[in-house]
């Protein structure tokens, strides 16, 4: 049912329903399906849901104060028939990532309408009260109600929303990383674009290392210290194959470049064998594509690995020291340069600024390790 929801909503929106009314009608149809399908399953579940949801929308429209205008609209629509599900799904992705929505609203609406998650599940995943999440989703639906696309949507916005979902990881009873991969696979199946493939490859390559990212007590394990025998080699192989096919199209984008960096890390049998020269080259490409200060921060680490910690510190000095994780990078490079007292102090400062508990504890341990020397 969850996989059918976006197609059904997409059909109703294409026929003239506003987003909020379409979503409500589909929810009514799902309730009816749960009631009747166990005893009498339909031969074509999608067509059944479209028909029932459209009837619910028509009934609601007729009861609305603007009945005459809506009935005129309804009468002009074609009778229920085969749905162009690929186009409808794609339309829904673009609608949920509409530029008028905030990032948090776009993520919530994508999980609700495209992912088919309940409001309770989304609220639990983001650690907010269900009523708060319900209000956020309702505001988002009102914002995009009546939006029509007369040209292709911005796929870059859709990809950023999906990557935000992926980076939330796991919380509540929903694995948001796995959900983001599922939604990106679904998008890739209906939208032929190398950056969609690049994002999917990036997600798979990062997800392949998931089991090794934390220790038995939940402590953060940095990439260089991870047990590489625990990496999922099947996901790595799939991610690399998808990335190679995308790069072969010679339309480089930021997600393909990020995936190339992740692939080089995944390809190294040990941390010492990491091909930092190629990684630095890809960071140069990525910096040219995005001019992101966060990319340049990560590039400073790569410079430090290729040309030595002093060169890395020089690259770091050109950046704003208020950047997230700037102090942690400075501590790492100072340690590599042999300035252990300074590095310990910087690790402690970085711990105070860490956005997450696991990261804070990791940085405190790094400071304690150097102070113990």
């Amino acid at each position: 049912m969850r996989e059918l929801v976006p197609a059904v909503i997409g059909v109703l929106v294409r026929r003239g329903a506003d987003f909020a009314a379409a979503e409500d009608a589909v929810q009514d149809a799902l309730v009816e399906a749960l009631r009747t399908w166990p005893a009498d399953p339909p031969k074509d579940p999608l067509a059944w849901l479209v028909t029932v949801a459209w009837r619910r929308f028509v009934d609601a429209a007729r009861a609305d104060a603007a009945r005459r205008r809506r009935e005129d609209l309804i009468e002009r629509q074609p009778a229920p028939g085969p749905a162009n599900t690929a186009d409808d799904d794609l339309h829904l992705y673009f609608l949920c990532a509409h530029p008028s929505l905030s990032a948090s609203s776009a993520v919530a609406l994508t999980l609700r309408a495209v992912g088919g998650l309940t409001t309770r599940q989304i609220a639990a995943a983001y650690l907010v009260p269900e009523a708060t999440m319900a209000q956020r989703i309702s505001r988002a639906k009102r914002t995009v109600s009546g939006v029509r696309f007369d040209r292709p949507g911005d796929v870059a916005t859709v990809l950023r929303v999906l990557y935000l979902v992926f980076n939330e990881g796991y919380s509540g009873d929903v694995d948001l990383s796995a959900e983001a991969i599922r939604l990106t696979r679904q998008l890739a199946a209906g939208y032929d674009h190398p950056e969609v493939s690049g994002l999917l490859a990036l997600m798979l390559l990062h997800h392949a290392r998931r089991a090794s990212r934390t220790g038995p007590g939940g402590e953060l394990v940095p990439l260089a210290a991870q047990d590489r025998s625990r990496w999922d080699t099947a996901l790595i192989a799939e991610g690399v194959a998808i990335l190679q096919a995308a790069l072969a199209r010679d339309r480089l984008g930021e997600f393909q470049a990020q995936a190339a960096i992740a692939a080089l890390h995944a390809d190294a049998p040990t941390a010492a064998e990491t091909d930092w020269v190629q990684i630095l080259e890809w960071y140069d490409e990525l910096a040219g594509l995005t001019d992101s200060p966060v990319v340049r921060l990560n590039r400073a680490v790569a410079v430090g690995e290729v040309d030595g910690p002093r060169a890395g510190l020089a690259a770091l000095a050109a950046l704003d020291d208020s950047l997230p994780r700037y102090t942690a990078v400075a501590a790492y490079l100072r340690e590599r340069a042999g300035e252990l007292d300074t590095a310990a102090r910087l690790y402690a400062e970085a711990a105070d600024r860490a956005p997450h508990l696991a990261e804070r504890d990791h940085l405190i341990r790094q400071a304690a390790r150097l102070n113990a020397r």
Side-chain angles (χ1 to χ4, degrees):
M1 280 189 176
R2 282 179 54 201
E3 292 180 357
L4 294 174
V5 163
V8 182
I9 295 178
V11 171
L12 267 63
V13 169
R14 178 164 53 85
R15 290 181 178 180
D18 66 65
F19 186 90
E23 211 266 345
D24 289 343
V26 172
Q27 294 303 315
D28 288 344
L30 290 174
V31 171
E32 184 67 11
L34 289 170
R35 188 181 69 81
T36 62
W37 284 12
D40 185 21
K43 293 181 180 179
D44 187 341
L46 177 60
W48 189 99
L49 285 170
V50 168
T51 300
V52 173
W54 184 248
R55 287 174 182 164
R56 293 292 190 274
F57 168 71
V58 170
D59 290 343
R62 285 173 176 161
D64 193 88
R67 180 181 66 251
R68 187 179 302 277
R69 182 181 63 81
R70 295 196 180 191
E71 285 182 346
D72 288 343
L73 177 64
I74 291 163
E75 289 172 0
R76 292 197 298 269
Q77 301 307 314
N84 188 347
T85 57
D87 288 345
D88 293 329
D89 286 357
L90 187 58
H91 178 95
L92 198 59
Y93 273 97
F94 287 130
L95 193 62
C96 291
H98 195 268
S100 62
L101 295 172
S102 67
S104 60
S105 294
V107 166
L109 194 58
T110 297
L111 290 172
R112 184 74 180 88
V114 182
L117 300 182
T118 66
T119 302
R120 181 191 62 77
Q121 288 175 314
I122 301 169
Y126 284 91
L127 305 177
V128 300
E130 185 173 349
T132 300
M133 184 57 68
Q135 290 175 354
R136 184 181 301 174
I137 293 171
S138 294
R139 285 194 300 269
K141 288 194 289 186
R142 287 196 299 271
T143 299
V144 299
S145 288
V147 169
R148 294 291 180 268
F149 290 99
D150 55 3
R151 58 186 173 83
D154 180 13
V155 69
T157 303
V158 176
L159 298 183
R160 281 193 290 271
V161 168
L162 291 173
Y163 198 38
L164 284 172
V165 176
F166 178 79
N167 284 326
E168 287 298 324
Y170 179 86
S171 184
D173 60 351
V174 178
D175 186 338
L176 290 178
S177 293
E179 182 66 16
I181 290 172
R182 183 183 76 83
L183 295 177
T184 307
R185 285 189 191 278
Q186 184 175 295
L187 178 61
Y191 191 73
D192 184 20
H193 193 290
E195 273 293 83
V196 177
S197 299
L199 177 60
L200 179 57
L202 177 63
M203 288 178 174
L204 294 173
L205 289 164
H206 280 318
H207 205 58
R209 296 191 278 108
R210 180 172 179 167
S212 62
R213 283 203 186 100
T214 54
E219 66 276 12
L220 182 68
V221 180
L223 176 61
Q226 288 175 12
D227 180 356
R228 299 181 181 223
S229 68
R230 300 184 66 196
W231 290 2
D232 188 327
T233 53
L235 282 183
I236 291 172
E238 183 185 3
V240 169
I242 291 171
L243 173 62
Q244 288 174 335
L247 291 174
R249 300 175 67 176
D250 199 23
R251 291 168 57 193
L252 184 63
E254 61 177 295
F255 287 114
Q256 294 169 74
Q258 288 187 60
I261 293 168
L264 287 166
H265 281 298
D267 188 54
T270 65
E273 295 172 89
T274 302
D275 189 344
W276 283 104
V277 173
Q278 276 204 69
I279 288 174
L280 178 56
E281 290 174 355
W282 276 110
Y283 270 122
D284 288 339
E285 292 277 3
L286 188 55
L289 289 167
T290 67
D291 197 29
S292 162
V294 175
V295 169
R296 295 191 180 279
L297 182 69
N298 291 328
R299 180 185 176 277
V301 175
V303 169
E305 297 292 344
V306 174
D307 297 326
R310 295 295 176 193
L313 287 165
L316 187 66
L319 302 176
D320 185 346
D321 62 7
S322 66
L323 279 172
R325 299 185 174 87
Y326 178 100
T327 309
V329 171
Y332 172 75
L333 292 171
R334 292 291 179 187
E335 181 183 357
R336 289 280 316 281
E339 301 176 29
L340 303 189
D341 290 342
T342 301
R345 175 178 56 79
L346 289 172
Y347 276 129
E349 289 180 13
D352 289 338
R353 303 175 187 176
H356 304 294
L357 182 61
E359 184 176 340
R360 187 201 69 181
D361 290 347
H362 169 71
L363 292 167
I364 289 173
R365 285 195 298 273
Q366 297 305 305
R369 173 178 58 81
L370 293 184
N371 286 328
R373 291 183 179 182

